PDB file of all heavy atoms in Angstrom:
ATOM      1  N   LEU Y1481     -22.636 107.180 -42.785  1.00  0.00           N
ATOM      2  CA  LEU Y1481     -23.130 108.469 -42.290  1.00  0.00           C
ATOM      3  C   LEU Y1481     -24.507 108.777 -42.854  1.00  0.00           C
ATOM      4  O   LEU Y1481     -25.366 109.339 -42.157  1.00  0.00           O
ATOM      5  CB  LEU Y1481     -22.151 109.584 -42.649  1.00  0.00           C
ATOM      6  CG  LEU Y1481     -20.816 109.578 -41.899  1.00  0.00           C
ATOM      7  CD1 LEU Y1481     -19.917 110.698 -42.423  1.00  0.00           C
ATOM      8  CD2 LEU Y1481     -21.060 109.732 -40.403  1.00  0.00           C
ATOM      9  N   LEU Y1482     -24.725 108.421 -44.117  1.00  0.00           N
ATOM     10  CA  LEU Y1482     -26.036 108.616 -44.725  1.00  0.00           C
ATOM     11  C   LEU Y1482     -27.087 107.780 -43.995  1.00  0.00           C
ATOM     12  O   LEU Y1482     -28.179 108.269 -43.694  1.00  0.00           O
ATOM     13  CB  LEU Y1482     -25.979 108.232 -46.204  1.00  0.00           C
ATOM     14  CG  LEU Y1482     -27.320 108.263 -46.968  1.00  0.00           C
ATOM     15  CD1 LEU Y1482     -27.905 109.679 -46.969  1.00  0.00           C
ATOM     16  CD2 LEU Y1482     -27.132 107.746 -48.394  1.00  0.00           C
ATOM     17  N   VAL Y1483     -26.759 106.538 -43.703  1.00  0.00           N
ATOM     18  CA  VAL Y1483     -27.688 105.654 -42.990  1.00  0.00           C
ATOM     19  C   VAL Y1483     -27.988 106.220 -41.602  1.00  0.00           C
ATOM     20  O   VAL Y1483     -29.141 106.221 -41.150  1.00  0.00           O
ATOM     21  CB  VAL Y1483     -27.108 104.232 -42.879  1.00  0.00           C
ATOM     22  CG1 VAL Y1483     -28.008 103.345 -42.013  1.00  0.00           C
ATOM     23  CG2 VAL Y1483     -26.934 103.623 -44.264  1.00  0.00           C
ATOM     24  N   LEU Y1484     -26.950 106.711 -40.929  1.00  0.00           N
ATOM     25  CA  LEU Y1484     -27.123 107.312 -39.605  1.00  0.00           C
ATOM     26  C   LEU Y1484     -28.096 108.487 -39.667  1.00  0.00           C
ATOM     27  O   LEU Y1484     -29.013 108.604 -38.841  1.00  0.00           O
ATOM     28  CB  LEU Y1484     -25.767 107.766 -39.068  1.00  0.00           C
ATOM     29  CG  LEU Y1484     -25.742 108.414 -37.675  1.00  0.00           C
ATOM     30  CD1 LEU Y1484     -26.107 107.397 -36.610  1.00  0.00           C
ATOM     31  CD2 LEU Y1484     -24.356 108.992 -37.390  1.00  0.00           C
ATOM     32  N   GLY Y1485     -27.911 109.379 -40.659  1.00  0.00           N
ATOM     33  CA  GLY Y1485     -28.789 110.533 -40.790  1.00  0.00           C
ATOM     34  C   GLY Y1485     -30.213 110.146 -41.117  1.00  0.00           C
ATOM     35  O   GLY Y1485     -31.170 110.720 -40.565  1.00  0.00           O
ATOM     36  N   VAL Y1486     -30.380 109.173 -42.019  1.00  0.00           N
ATOM     37  CA  VAL Y1486     -31.723 108.711 -42.392  1.00  0.00           C
ATOM     38  C   VAL Y1486     -32.429 108.079 -41.196  1.00  0.00           C
ATOM     39  O   VAL Y1486     -33.629 108.278 -40.985  1.00  0.00           O
ATOM     40  CB  VAL Y1486     -31.630 107.722 -43.570  1.00  0.00           C
ATOM     41  CG1 VAL Y1486     -32.946 106.987 -43.767  1.00  0.00           C
ATOM     42  CG2 VAL Y1486     -31.249 108.456 -44.849  1.00  0.00           C
ATOM     43  N   PHE Y1487     -31.685 107.328 -40.390  1.00  0.00           N
ATOM     44  CA  PHE Y1487     -32.269 106.706 -39.197  1.00  0.00           C
ATOM     45  C   PHE Y1487     -32.857 107.773 -38.279  1.00  0.00           C
ATOM     46  O   PHE Y1487     -34.009 107.673 -37.838  1.00  0.00           O
ATOM     47  CB  PHE Y1487     -31.192 105.913 -38.460  1.00  0.00           C
ATOM     48  CG  PHE Y1487     -31.704 105.096 -37.296  1.00  0.00           C
ATOM     49  CD1 PHE Y1487     -31.821 103.725 -37.393  1.00  0.00           C
ATOM     50  CD2 PHE Y1487     -32.074 105.698 -36.098  1.00  0.00           C
ATOM     51  CE1 PHE Y1487     -32.294 102.962 -36.329  1.00  0.00           C
ATOM     52  CE2 PHE Y1487     -32.551 104.961 -35.028  1.00  0.00           C
ATOM     53  CZ  PHE Y1487     -32.652 103.590 -35.147  1.00  0.00           C
ATOM     54  N   MET Y1488     -32.062 108.803 -37.988  1.00  0.00           N
ATOM     55  CA  MET Y1488     -32.524 109.820 -37.041  1.00  0.00           C
ATOM     56  C   MET Y1488     -33.669 110.643 -37.626  1.00  0.00           C
ATOM     57  O   MET Y1488     -34.631 110.972 -36.919  1.00  0.00           O
ATOM     58  CB  MET Y1488     -31.360 110.736 -36.652  1.00  0.00           C
ATOM     59  CG  MET Y1488     -30.220 110.014 -35.922  1.00  0.00           C
ATOM     60  SD  MET Y1488     -30.762 109.059 -34.467  1.00  0.00           S
ATOM     61  CE  MET Y1488     -31.414 110.362 -33.419  1.00  0.00           C
ATOM     62  N   LEU Y1489     -33.602 110.966 -38.922  1.00  0.00           N
ATOM     63  CA  LEU Y1489     -34.657 111.768 -39.543  1.00  0.00           C
ATOM     64  C   LEU Y1489     -35.976 111.001 -39.581  1.00  0.00           C
ATOM     65  O   LEU Y1489     -37.032 111.538 -39.216  1.00  0.00           O
ATOM     66  CB  LEU Y1489     -34.244 112.169 -40.958  1.00  0.00           C
ATOM     67  CG  LEU Y1489     -35.315 112.918 -41.763  1.00  0.00           C
ATOM     68  CD1 LEU Y1489     -35.665 114.240 -41.091  1.00  0.00           C
ATOM     69  CD2 LEU Y1489     -34.850 113.153 -43.207  1.00  0.00           C
ATOM     70  N   THR Y1490     -35.946 109.764 -40.029  1.00  0.00           N
ATOM     71  CA  THR Y1490     -37.187 108.990 -40.124  1.00  0.00           C
ATOM     72  C   THR Y1490     -37.746 108.670 -38.738  1.00  0.00           C
ATOM     73  O   THR Y1490     -38.970 108.563 -38.571  1.00  0.00           O
ATOM     74  CB  THR Y1490     -36.960 107.694 -40.917  1.00  0.00           C
ATOM     75  OG1 THR Y1490     -35.860 106.958 -40.348  1.00  0.00           O
ATOM     76  CG2 THR Y1490     -36.655 108.001 -42.377  1.00  0.00           C
ATOM     77  N   ASN Y1491     -36.862 108.528 -37.765  1.00  0.00           N
ATOM     78  CA  ASN Y1491     -37.330 108.324 -36.392  1.00  0.00           C
ATOM     79  C   ASN Y1491     -38.126 109.544 -35.926  1.00  0.00           C
ATOM     80  O   ASN Y1491     -39.179 109.421 -35.282  1.00  0.00           O
ATOM     81  CB  ASN Y1491     -36.125 108.089 -35.479  1.00  0.00           C
ATOM     82  CG  ASN Y1491     -36.530 107.555 -34.119  1.00  0.00           C
ATOM     83  OD1 ASN Y1491     -37.565 106.928 -33.969  1.00  0.00           O
ATOM     84  ND2 ASN Y1491     -35.716 107.805 -33.117  1.00  0.00           N
ATOM     85  N   LEU Y1492     -37.633 110.736 -36.278  1.00  0.00           N
ATOM     86  CA  LEU Y1492     -38.342 111.968 -35.927  1.00  0.00           C
ATOM     87  C   LEU Y1492     -39.681 112.059 -36.657  1.00  0.00           C
ATOM     88  O   LEU Y1492     -40.702 112.442 -36.074  1.00  0.00           O
ATOM     89  CB  LEU Y1492     -37.463 113.178 -36.263  1.00  0.00           C
ATOM     90  CG  LEU Y1492     -38.103 114.554 -36.043  1.00  0.00           C
ATOM     91  CD1 LEU Y1492     -38.472 114.746 -34.571  1.00  0.00           C
ATOM     92  CD2 LEU Y1492     -37.159 115.661 -36.515  1.00  0.00           C
ATOM     93  N   VAL Y1493     -39.686 111.719 -37.946  1.00  0.00           N
ATOM     94  CA  VAL Y1493     -40.929 111.767 -38.721  1.00  0.00           C
ATOM     95  C   VAL Y1493     -41.966 110.804 -38.134  1.00  0.00           C
ATOM     96  O   VAL Y1493     -43.149 111.144 -37.985  1.00  0.00           O
ATOM     97  CB  VAL Y1493     -40.656 111.435 -40.199  1.00  0.00           C
ATOM     98  CG1 VAL Y1493     -41.970 111.279 -40.967  1.00  0.00           C
ATOM     99  CG2 VAL Y1493     -39.788 112.521 -40.838  1.00  0.00           C
ATOM    100  N   ASN Y1494     -41.516 109.619 -37.788  1.00  0.00           N
ATOM    101  CA  ASN Y1494     -42.417 108.640 -37.177  1.00  0.00           C
ATOM    102  C   ASN Y1494     -43.017 109.202 -35.890  1.00  0.00           C
ATOM    103  O   ASN Y1494     -44.231 109.106 -35.638  1.00  0.00           O
ATOM    104  CB  ASN Y1494     -41.643 107.356 -36.884  1.00  0.00           C
ATOM    105  CG  ASN Y1494     -42.503 106.308 -36.207  1.00  0.00           C
ATOM    106  OD1 ASN Y1494     -43.666 106.113 -36.534  1.00  0.00           O
ATOM    107  ND2 ASN Y1494     -41.917 105.625 -35.222  1.00  0.00           N
ATOM    108  N   PHE Y1495     -42.166 109.815 -35.056  1.00  0.00           N
ATOM    109  CA  PHE Y1495     -42.662 110.413 -33.809  1.00  0.00           C
ATOM    110  C   PHE Y1495     -43.693 111.500 -34.091  1.00  0.00           C
ATOM    111  O   PHE Y1495     -44.738 111.568 -33.432  1.00  0.00           O
ATOM    112  CB  PHE Y1495     -41.491 110.983 -33.007  1.00  0.00           C
ATOM    113  CG  PHE Y1495     -41.931 111.863 -31.869  1.00  0.00           C
ATOM    114  CD1 PHE Y1495     -42.361 111.313 -30.670  1.00  0.00           C
ATOM    115  CD2 PHE Y1495     -41.958 113.251 -32.013  1.00  0.00           C
ATOM    116  CE1 PHE Y1495     -42.795 112.122 -29.630  1.00  0.00           C
ATOM    117  CE2 PHE Y1495     -42.375 114.064 -30.970  1.00  0.00           C
ATOM    118  CZ  PHE Y1495     -42.808 113.495 -29.775  1.00  0.00           C
ATOM    119  N   LEU Y1496     -43.401 112.370 -35.053  1.00  0.00           N
ATOM    120  CA  LEU Y1496     -44.298 113.494 -35.334  1.00  0.00           C
ATOM    121  C   LEU Y1496     -45.674 113.013 -35.798  1.00  0.00           C
ATOM    122  O   LEU Y1496     -46.695 113.600 -35.431  1.00  0.00           O
ATOM    123  CB  LEU Y1496     -43.669 114.414 -36.379  1.00  0.00           C
ATOM    124  CG  LEU Y1496     -42.435 115.200 -35.910  1.00  0.00           C
ATOM    125  CD1 LEU Y1496     -41.841 115.985 -37.071  1.00  0.00           C
ATOM    126  CD2 LEU Y1496     -42.784 116.126 -34.752  1.00  0.00           C
ATOM    127  N   ILE Y1497     -45.707 111.948 -36.576  1.00  0.00           N
ATOM    128  CA  ILE Y1497     -47.002 111.447 -37.055  1.00  0.00           C
ATOM    129  C   ILE Y1497     -47.796 110.842 -35.902  1.00  0.00           C
ATOM    130  O   ILE Y1497     -48.973 111.160 -35.687  1.00  0.00           O
ATOM    131  CB  ILE Y1497     -46.803 110.409 -38.171  1.00  0.00           C
ATOM    132  CG1 ILE Y1497     -46.171 111.066 -39.406  1.00  0.00           C
ATOM    133  CG2 ILE Y1497     -48.130 109.749 -38.540  1.00  0.00           C
ATOM    134  CD1 ILE Y1497     -45.815 110.091 -40.505  1.00  0.00           C
ATOM    135  N   ILE Y1498     -47.148 109.951 -35.136  1.00  0.00           N
ATOM    136  CA  ILE Y1498     -47.844 109.277 -34.039  1.00  0.00           C
ATOM    137  C   ILE Y1498     -48.221 110.268 -32.942  1.00  0.00           C
ATOM    138  O   ILE Y1498     -49.366 110.301 -32.464  1.00  0.00           O
ATOM    139  CB  ILE Y1498     -46.964 108.154 -33.452  1.00  0.00           C
ATOM    140  CG1 ILE Y1498     -46.616 107.117 -34.541  1.00  0.00           C
ATOM    141  CG2 ILE Y1498     -47.669 107.490 -32.282  1.00  0.00           C
ATOM    142  CD1 ILE Y1498     -47.790 106.377 -35.099  1.00  0.00           C
ATOM    143  N   ALA Y1499     -47.248 111.108 -32.528  1.00  0.00           N
ATOM    144  CA  ALA Y1499     -47.516 112.068 -31.454  1.00  0.00           C
ATOM    145  C   ALA Y1499     -48.488 113.150 -31.908  1.00  0.00           C
ATOM    146  O   ALA Y1499     -49.310 113.632 -31.117  1.00  0.00           O
ATOM    147  CB  ALA Y1499     -46.215 112.701 -30.971  1.00  0.00           C
ATOM    148  N   GLY Y1500     -48.395 113.547 -33.186  1.00  0.00           N
ATOM    149  CA  GLY Y1500     -49.318 114.556 -33.696  1.00  0.00           C
ATOM    150  C   GLY Y1500     -50.755 114.084 -33.614  1.00  0.00           C
ATOM    151  O   GLY Y1500     -51.650 114.844 -33.206  1.00  0.00           O
ATOM    152  N   ASP Y1501     -50.991 112.823 -33.989  1.00  0.00           N
ATOM    153  CA  ASP Y1501     -52.341 112.264 -33.879  1.00  0.00           C
ATOM    154  C   ASP Y1501     -52.804 112.266 -32.424  1.00  0.00           C
ATOM    155  O   ASP Y1501     -53.944 112.644 -32.115  1.00  0.00           O
ATOM    156  CB  ASP Y1501     -52.340 110.843 -34.432  1.00  0.00           C
ATOM    157  CG  ASP Y1501     -53.681 110.159 -34.263  1.00  0.00           C
ATOM    158  OD1 ASP Y1501     -54.546 110.336 -35.143  1.00  0.00           O
ATOM    159  OD2 ASP Y1501     -53.858 109.445 -33.252  1.00  0.00           O
ATOM    160  N   HIS Y1502     -51.908 111.874 -31.525  1.00  0.00           N
ATOM    161  CA  HIS Y1502     -52.252 111.843 -30.102  1.00  0.00           C
ATOM    162  C   HIS Y1502     -52.601 113.240 -29.591  1.00  0.00           C
ATOM    163  O   HIS Y1502     -53.577 113.421 -28.847  1.00  0.00           O
ATOM    164  CB  HIS Y1502     -51.075 111.272 -29.309  1.00  0.00           C
ATOM    165  CG  HIS Y1502     -51.234 111.369 -27.829  1.00  0.00           C
ATOM    166  ND1 HIS Y1502     -52.084 110.550 -27.107  1.00  0.00           N
ATOM    167  CD2 HIS Y1502     -50.643 112.200 -26.915  1.00  0.00           C
ATOM    168  CE1 HIS Y1502     -52.020 110.871 -25.831  1.00  0.00           C
ATOM    169  NE2 HIS Y1502     -51.151 111.864 -25.690  1.00  0.00           N
ATOM    170  N   CYS Y1503     -51.819 114.218 -29.986  1.00  0.00           N
ATOM    171  CA  CYS Y1503     -52.046 115.584 -29.503  1.00  0.00           C
ATOM    172  C   CYS Y1503     -53.347 116.167 -30.026  1.00  0.00           C
ATOM    173  O   CYS Y1503     -54.061 116.869 -29.299  1.00  0.00           O
ATOM    174  CB  CYS Y1503     -50.866 116.481 -29.895  1.00  0.00           C
ATOM    175  SG  CYS Y1503     -49.334 116.093 -29.022  1.00  0.00           S
ATOM    176  N   VAL Y1504     -53.674 115.882 -31.267  1.00  0.00           N
ATOM    177  CA  VAL Y1504     -54.920 116.396 -31.841  1.00  0.00           C
ATOM    178  C   VAL Y1504     -56.125 115.844 -31.087  1.00  0.00           C
ATOM    179  O   VAL Y1504     -57.085 116.558 -30.801  1.00  0.00           O
ATOM    180  CB  VAL Y1504     -55.009 116.051 -33.344  1.00  0.00           C
ATOM    181  CG1 VAL Y1504     -56.425 116.288 -33.862  1.00  0.00           C
ATOM    182  CG2 VAL Y1504     -54.015 116.878 -34.129  1.00  0.00           C
ATOM    183  N   HIS Y1505     -56.062 114.564 -30.729  1.00  0.00           N
ATOM    184  CA  HIS Y1505     -57.221 113.931 -30.100  1.00  0.00           C
ATOM    185  C   HIS Y1505     -57.280 114.139 -28.598  1.00  0.00           C
ATOM    186  O   HIS Y1505     -58.343 113.956 -27.989  1.00  0.00           O
ATOM    187  CB  HIS Y1505     -57.234 112.433 -30.410  1.00  0.00           C
ATOM    188  CG  HIS Y1505     -57.564 112.128 -31.834  1.00  0.00           C
ATOM    189  ND1 HIS Y1505     -56.603 111.968 -32.797  1.00  0.00           N
ATOM    190  CD2 HIS Y1505     -58.758 111.984 -32.468  1.00  0.00           C
ATOM    191  CE1 HIS Y1505     -57.182 111.718 -33.962  1.00  0.00           C
ATOM    192  NE2 HIS Y1505     -58.491 111.731 -33.786  1.00  0.00           N
ATOM    193  N   THR Y1506     -56.176 114.506 -27.961  1.00  0.00           N
ATOM    194  CA  THR Y1506     -56.173 114.688 -26.502  1.00  0.00           C
ATOM    195  C   THR Y1506     -55.975 116.138 -26.083  1.00  0.00           C
ATOM    196  O   THR Y1506     -56.170 116.470 -24.914  1.00  0.00           O
ATOM    197  CB  THR Y1506     -55.061 113.843 -25.850  1.00  0.00           C
ATOM    198  OG1 THR Y1506     -53.777 114.304 -26.293  1.00  0.00           O
ATOM    199  CG2 THR Y1506     -55.234 112.374 -26.193  1.00  0.00           C
ATOM    200  N   GLY Y1507     -55.547 116.995 -27.008  1.00  0.00           N
ATOM    201  CA  GLY Y1507     -55.280 118.381 -26.660  1.00  0.00           C
ATOM    202  C   GLY Y1507     -53.921 118.608 -26.042  1.00  0.00           C
ATOM    203  O   GLY Y1507     -53.614 119.713 -25.588  1.00  0.00           O
ATOM    204  N   ALA Y1508     -53.072 117.554 -26.007  1.00  0.00           N
ATOM    205  CA  ALA Y1508     -51.733 117.700 -25.444  1.00  0.00           C
ATOM    206  C   ALA Y1508     -50.861 118.553 -26.355  1.00  0.00           C
ATOM    207  O   ALA Y1508     -51.153 118.735 -27.543  1.00  0.00           O
ATOM    208  CB  ALA Y1508     -51.097 116.326 -25.248  1.00  0.00           C
ATOM    209  N   SER Y1509     -49.784 119.084 -25.792  1.00  0.00           N
ATOM    210  CA  SER Y1509     -48.861 119.920 -26.553  1.00  0.00           C
ATOM    211  C   SER Y1509     -47.820 119.053 -27.255  1.00  0.00           C
ATOM    212  O   SER Y1509     -47.186 118.200 -26.629  1.00  0.00           O
ATOM    213  CB  SER Y1509     -48.155 120.899 -25.606  1.00  0.00           C
ATOM    214  OG  SER Y1509     -47.006 121.452 -26.204  1.00  0.00           O
ATOM    215  N   LEU Y1510     -47.640 119.284 -28.566  1.00  0.00           N
ATOM    216  CA  LEU Y1510     -46.644 118.508 -29.305  1.00  0.00           C
ATOM    217  C   LEU Y1510     -45.242 118.805 -28.779  1.00  0.00           C
ATOM    218  O   LEU Y1510     -44.406 117.901 -28.662  1.00  0.00           O
ATOM    219  CB  LEU Y1510     -46.731 118.835 -30.802  1.00  0.00           C
ATOM    220  CG  LEU Y1510     -45.792 118.018 -31.715  1.00  0.00           C
ATOM    221  CD1 LEU Y1510     -46.075 116.530 -31.592  1.00  0.00           C
ATOM    222  CD2 LEU Y1510     -45.949 118.476 -33.169  1.00  0.00           C
ATOM    223  N   ALA Y1511     -44.990 120.061 -28.440  1.00  0.00           N
ATOM    224  CA  ALA Y1511     -43.680 120.411 -27.882  1.00  0.00           C
ATOM    225  C   ALA Y1511     -43.460 119.708 -26.552  1.00  0.00           C
ATOM    226  O   ALA Y1511     -42.358 119.223 -26.253  1.00  0.00           O
ATOM    227  CB  ALA Y1511     -43.566 121.926 -27.702  1.00  0.00           C
ATOM    228  N   GLY Y1512     -44.517 119.640 -25.744  1.00  0.00           N
ATOM    229  CA  GLY Y1512     -44.408 118.941 -24.461  1.00  0.00           C
ATOM    230  C   GLY Y1512     -44.160 117.461 -24.647  1.00  0.00           C
ATOM    231  O   GLY Y1512     -43.355 116.858 -23.935  1.00  0.00           O
ATOM    232  N   GLU Y1513     -44.864 116.859 -25.614  1.00  0.00           N
ATOM    233  CA  GLU Y1513     -44.653 115.441 -25.899  1.00  0.00           C
ATOM    234  C   GLU Y1513     -43.236 115.198 -26.410  1.00  0.00           C
ATOM    235  O   GLU Y1513     -42.602 114.191 -26.066  1.00  0.00           O
ATOM    236  CB  GLU Y1513     -45.666 114.966 -26.955  1.00  0.00           C
ATOM    237  CG  GLU Y1513     -47.104 115.000 -26.493  1.00  0.00           C
ATOM    238  CD  GLU Y1513     -47.386 113.965 -25.430  1.00  0.00           C
ATOM    239  OE1 GLU Y1513     -47.304 112.767 -25.724  1.00  0.00           O
ATOM    240  OE2 GLU Y1513     -47.669 114.361 -24.282  1.00  0.00           O
ATOM    241  N   PHE Y1514     -42.729 116.125 -27.199  1.00  0.00           N
ATOM    242  CA  PHE Y1514     -41.367 115.992 -27.728  1.00  0.00           C
ATOM    243  C   PHE Y1514     -40.356 115.991 -26.581  1.00  0.00           C
ATOM    244  O   PHE Y1514     -39.442 115.165 -26.544  1.00  0.00           O
ATOM    245  CB  PHE Y1514     -41.082 117.150 -28.692  1.00  0.00           C
ATOM    246  CG  PHE Y1514     -39.708 117.106 -29.316  1.00  0.00           C
ATOM    247  CD1 PHE Y1514     -39.466 116.313 -30.428  1.00  0.00           C
ATOM    248  CD2 PHE Y1514     -38.672 117.856 -28.785  1.00  0.00           C
ATOM    249  CE1 PHE Y1514     -38.201 116.270 -31.005  1.00  0.00           C
ATOM    250  CE2 PHE Y1514     -37.412 117.826 -29.349  1.00  0.00           C
ATOM    251  CZ  PHE Y1514     -37.171 117.025 -30.461  1.00  0.00           C
ATOM    252  N   ARG Y1515     -40.529 116.928 -25.642  1.00  0.00           N
ATOM    253  CA  ARG Y1515     -39.598 117.002 -24.508  1.00  0.00           C
ATOM    254  C   ARG Y1515     -39.736 115.797 -23.588  1.00  0.00           C
ATOM    255  O   ARG Y1515     -38.740 115.299 -23.054  1.00  0.00           O
ATOM    256  CB  ARG Y1515     -39.840 118.287 -23.715  1.00  0.00           C
ATOM    257  CG  ARG Y1515     -39.401 119.561 -24.422  1.00  0.00           C
ATOM    258  CD  ARG Y1515     -39.435 120.756 -23.480  1.00  0.00           C
ATOM    259  NE  ARG Y1515     -40.777 121.013 -22.971  1.00  0.00           N
ATOM    260  CZ  ARG Y1515     -41.655 121.811 -23.559  1.00  0.00           C
ATOM    261  NH1 ARG Y1515     -41.326 122.436 -24.691  1.00  0.00           N
ATOM    262  NH2 ARG Y1515     -42.854 122.000 -23.045  1.00  0.00           N
ATOM    263  N   ALA Y1516     -40.958 115.327 -23.392  1.00  0.00           N
ATOM    264  CA  ALA Y1516     -41.194 114.253 -22.431  1.00  0.00           C
ATOM    265  C   ALA Y1516     -40.879 112.875 -22.987  1.00  0.00           C
ATOM    266  O   ALA Y1516     -40.457 111.988 -22.246  1.00  0.00           O
ATOM    267  CB  ALA Y1516     -42.643 114.294 -21.952  1.00  0.00           C
TER     268      ALA Y1516
END
């Protein structure tokens, strides 16, 4: 269960870093990228 939780949390962190960089440079919405 710990491994399962760490997998999902780090997957989210990875997304936030990569998508955050994309949104800053393109003006896209982070919430929109999250949903899409």
Side-chain angles (χ1 to χ4, degrees):
L1481 290 177
L1482 175 62
V1483 174
L1484 181 67
V1486 167
F1487 187 106
M1488 297 307 297
L1489 175 62
T1490 54
N1491 193 26
L1492 176 61
V1493 172
N1494 178 40
F1495 168 80
L1496 291 175
I1497 295 174
I1498 301 296
D1501 176 86
H1502 172 75
C1503 291
V1504 167
H1505 289 93
T1506 64
S1509 163
L1510 184 59
E1513 295 291 295
F1514 181 83
R1515 289 190 299 270

